[in-house]
Amino acid sequence: DLKIIEVIPAKIPRGKGLALIKMVDRLSKDGGRSMSSSVLSVEIGGSTPFEHLELISASVLTPLVSSPQNRLKWGEMAARDVSVNGENRLPIPPLEECTSIEATPAPASLSSAPPPSPSSKATGLSMARVLPAMLPKPSGVAAKSLTVLESAITTWTAQIKGVLKQDPASQLALGSANPTPEAEMEFWQTKEKSLNDIFEQLRSQRIRSVLRVLDRGRSTHCAAFASLCKEVFAARDEAIDNARYLRTLKPWIHRFEAEGSFPKLAKHFAPMLQIVVLIWKNSKYYNTAPRLVALMRQIGNLLIARACQYVSGEQLFRLVDDDETNVAVEQLRVTLLVCGAFKKAYLDTRAVVARECPQNPWRIQNNAIFLRLDGFLERCYDMLDLAQAVIHFSKLSKTDVGSTDGEKLTSLLHSISLDFDAALSSVKSADYDVMSIDDNDFEADYAMFRTSVRDIELRLSSIICRALDDSATVYGRFQLLASFSHSLLSRPTIQNELEGRRIELIQAYGEDLRSIQNNFLHQRDEIAGCGTIASNGLPPIAGALTWCRGLRE
């Protein structure tokens, strides 16, 4: 039965066919290797044209007309018409398929059947309960047409369920997009429009005709599709209600985004959360824990985005290179204060909701809402620790140790300074933004930096202890400690290592005080006995004062 022809036939045969279209004038010498790129193969025909129409529409036509790039050269009217008429449109089979079944004669016993109720006329979904069970089973052309209509119902069901299962929480769970409240509002507006499109089509005469035909043919798809339609109506009411109430939050989100000063963002938290409370009180659907969690996390995403604009990783390292690390530290502290103010505003608002809505309070764990924000705060603390370490170790290269072995110890200090710069460079050279919590490489890089810093702190503690041992006087030891900054010596690792030496230093200082006290008392008693004190030729009172000043020093 195989037939080969060189031109496309005027009428496609009922069997399946394979069309081979040559895309070039002549094939290259490599033969089969260029066949896939030079010859296009297309399957055509089949028992019905619908076998390929749906596939071509979904895989070829819809992507072509939906692509924004393909609409660049279209006229405004054409682009708008395709955009409106091409979204969420249910593929309706030809009316001939409906006519072929409706034209099937009913038995005479149906002539006395009661007319359908008004409710069944309105919905077109319960006709099977009106018609008697004695309807004949479709056969021949009618049965084939019924199969086509049932296939259309299956396609509608898949398309409608695809719209119904869309939820903003699923977008937030992905973690990659990090949506903001604008995305939440746009989602519900889009879902409202999609469900309105489907709702209008379900009310159209053509789709109701298809459903009546399936009822008449006693199709098993009718009951399930009727239940799906109820879900559409309920989801449409929810989308309309949510979109309407979220529009009240939009001006406050815009004010938050338009605020030019990051520290002033804190004043927007209370009024913005008050709008959320009003939505919680009045909305029929947007007063559940999943909705609140999604919205609060999206506000947190917006706050994180603003914070990254205020203090980015590139900006922090630029300040470090310009010896303005103190500015970087201040910016990180401001970021922590603003983010902390948002958490406090939420907790205060939750307490208000608990008083005003005792029947529906905000019973949500803080971790569910602040999961990503807490991760960002931890990153800020890590970067604050890094910036403070830069300040602490920045003066080591200019520090000199004046003990008996001072030259060697000073050389070791300068070596430690170079090692710290190398550890810092490993973080600065990263090819990602260190303030972005979506990149997990920072954890490993920062752990290596902390390990290097701890090793440097131990080495520095050892050098300071050796220098203290070489100092012969208490005054020299104090001078040695004064050459290092108080913040550097206050680092936990160094402080723990020097704790014993500090006790020894205090004890030595106490012994010096007791020695001076004994000397003073002894000289005082001698002055009381003889009335004079050795003063290097100074008058008695001036000599006594000079001697006391020496003891004090």
Side-chain angles (χ1 to χ4, degrees):
D1 297 333
L2 180 61
K3 295 181 181 181
I4 301 177
I5 56 177
E6 296 183 356
V7 295
I8 299 178
K11 184 177 181 181
I12 302 297
R14 295 190 63 83
K16 289 190 176 182
L18 183 65
L20 301 177
I21 304 174
K22 187 171 65 172
M23 308 297 294
V24 296
D25 294 337
R26 180 175 299 178
L27 294 176
S28 59
K29 294 182 179 181
D30 57 3
R33 286 183 295 178
S34 64
M35 183 69 70
S36 60
S37 60
S38 304
V39 178
L40 176 66
S41 61
V42 181
E43 183 183 1
I44 58 176
S47 58
T48 65
F50 295 101
E51 293 184 13
H52 302 287
L53 179 59
E54 179 183 349
L55 179 62
I56 293 175
S57 298
S59 303
V60 180
L61 299 181
T62 300
L64 285 176
V65 300
S66 301
S67 174
Q69 298 295 329
N70 294 336
R71 301 182 187 180
L72 294 178
K73 296 183 179 180
W74 294 5
E76 180 181 356
M77 295 298 296
R80 184 170 56 192
D81 183 65
V82 171
S83 175
V84 172
N85 296 327
E87 294 179 359
N88 298 306
R89 292 294 158 180
L90 305 179
I92 303 176
L95 291 179
E96 289 79 2
E97 304 293 345
C98 304
T99 307
S100 63
I101 298 180
E102 290 182 335
T104 303
S109 60
L110 289 180
S111 60
S112 59
S117 64
S119 61
S120 63
K121 289 183 180 180
T123 61
L125 300 177
S126 58
M127 191 66 68
R129 295 193 298 270
V130 179
L131 295 178
M134 61 184 68
L135 272 173
K137 294 183 178 180
S139 60
V141 177
K144 186 181 297 184
S145 299
L146 186 62
T147 302
V148 173
L149 298 181
E150 288 179 341
S151 176
I153 285 288
T154 303
T155 303
W156 297 353
T157 301
Q159 185 172 345
I160 292 173
K161 285 184 177 180
V163 176
L164 291 178
K165 72 179 182 180
Q166 296 174 0
D167 189 85
S170 61
Q171 297 179 359
L172 192 63
L174 295 178
S176 57
N178 300 323
T180 62
E182 282 286 348
E184 177 83 358
M185 300 172 194
E186 183 179 354
F187 169 82
W188 287 111
Q189 292 173 0
T190 302
K191 189 168 185 178
E192 177 188 9
K193 182 181 181 304
S194 300
L195 292 174
N196 282 334
D197 292 342
I198 295 175
F199 178 75
E200 293 298 327
Q201 292 172 81
L202 292 177
R203 295 177 57 191
S204 66
Q205 186 61 37
R206 295 187 67 185
I207 289 185
R208 290 164 66 180
S209 298
V210 172
L211 298 176
R212 283 196 296 268
V213 169
L214 291 175
D215 272 337
R216 184 182 180 92
R218 294 184 295 175
S219 173
T220 58
H221 291 69
C222 289
F225 193 76
S227 177
L228 182 63
C229 289
K230 293 180 181 179
E231 295 182 24
V232 170
F233 302 152
R236 174 176 174 268
D237 291 340
E238 179 184 9
I240 293 175
D241 186 79
N242 291 345
R244 180 172 66 249
Y245 280 102
L246 285 176
R247 277 194 288 269
T248 62
L249 184 62
K250 194 170 186 177
W252 297 95
I253 297 298
H254 287 173
R255 293 176 188 175
F256 186 86
E257 293 175 335
E259 178 61 61
S261 175
F262 180 79
K264 294 182 180 179
L265 289 180
K267 70 179 182 181
H268 295 277
F269 294 143
M272 189 161 50
L273 291 177
Q274 182 60 33
I275 299 297
V276 176
V277 172
L278 294 176
I279 295 174
W280 181 269
K281 289 181 179 179
N282 296 279
S283 175
K284 294 188 298 182
Y285 302 98
Y286 214 87
N287 53 4
T288 60
R291 296 285 178 257
L292 179 64
V293 169
L295 182 59
M296 297 306 297
R297 290 182 64 179
Q298 289 164 358
I299 295 176
N301 290 338
L302 180 59
L303 176 59
I304 292 174
R306 288 299 310 271
C308 289
Q309 295 174 1
Y310 174 68
V311 54
S312 64
E314 180 182 359
Q315 180 182 357
L316 287 176
F317 290 131
R318 185 170 60 249
L319 291 173
V320 171
D321 293 338
D322 295 341
D323 292 332
E324 296 181 356
T325 312
N326 289 327
V327 178
V329 170
E330 182 63 24
Q331 290 182 345
L332 288 169
R333 287 174 176 169
V334 169
T335 302
L336 291 171
L337 288 175
V338 173
C339 294
F342 172 66
K343 296 181 67 174
K344 182 179 183 301
Y346 167 78
L347 296 176
D348 294 343
T349 305
R350 185 177 67 176
V352 173
V353 174
R355 293 194 304 268
E356 298 181 358
C357 302
Q359 72 285 356
N360 190 21
W362 289 0
R363 294 176 180 173
I364 303 171
Q365 294 184 355
N366 293 339
N367 184 56
I369 292 179
F370 301 120
L371 178 63
R372 190 165 183 268
L373 183 60
D374 286 341
F376 179 74
L377 290 175
E378 183 178 354
R379 181 66 55 86
C380 289
Y381 279 116
D382 291 341
M383 292 305 300
L384 180 62
D385 179 70
L386 184 145
Q388 289 175 336
V390 172
I391 295 177
H392 297 164
F393 291 97
S394 60
K395 298 181 180 179
L396 282 182
S397 61
K398 303 176 183 179
T399 303
D400 294 328
V401 179
S403 63
T404 56
D405 203 9
E407 183 177 354
K408 182 178 179 181
L409 296 180
T410 300
S411 177
L412 292 176
L413 284 180
H414 295 171
S415 176
I416 288 178
S417 178
L418 294 176
D419 291 342
F420 177 80
D421 292 340
L424 180 62
S425 297
S426 64
V427 181
K428 292 169 59 177
S429 60
D431 57 353
Y432 55 86
D433 186 359
V434 295
M435 294 302 294
S436 174
I437 61 175
D438 299 323
D439 199 319
N440 297 325
D441 294 338
F442 175 82
E443 303 297 334
D445 294 340
Y446 183 71
M448 293 179 59
F449 173 78
R450 288 291 304 143
T451 302
S452 300
V453 169
R454 178 171 175 77
D455 179 66
I456 289 173
E457 289 173 340
L458 293 175
R459 291 164 55 191
L460 179 60
S461 301
S462 176
I463 293 174
I464 295 176
C465 290
R466 289 178 56 184
L468 289 174
D469 293 338
D470 291 342
S471 297
T473 63
V474 174
Y475 179 77
R477 296 175 186 177
F478 277 111
Q479 286 294 102
L480 173 65
L481 294 178
S483 62
F484 300 95
S485 65
H486 174 72
S487 57
L488 176 62
L489 298 179
S490 299
R491 295 184 68 86
T493 302
I494 299 177
Q495 191 172 18
N496 292 336
E497 293 295 324
L498 296 181
E499 186 64 27
R501 301 307 178 99
R502 293 190 183 201
I503 295 176
E504 295 177 0
L505 183 60
I506 293 175
Q507 291 175 348
Y509 181 68
E511 293 177 359
D512 282 356
L513 286 179
R514 282 193 293 271
S515 175
I516 293 175
Q517 182 183 22
N518 293 334
N519 189 9
F520 174 79
L521 294 177
H522 177 71
Q523 293 292 342
R524 186 190 62 180
D525 294 340
E526 288 187 358
I527 294 174
C530 62
T532 61
I533 187 173
S535 56
N536 297 325
L538 295 176
I541 296 178
L545 293 176
T546 302
W547 176 75
C548 291
R549 181 185 299 171
L551 292 179
R552 181 177 180 181
E553 293 178 354

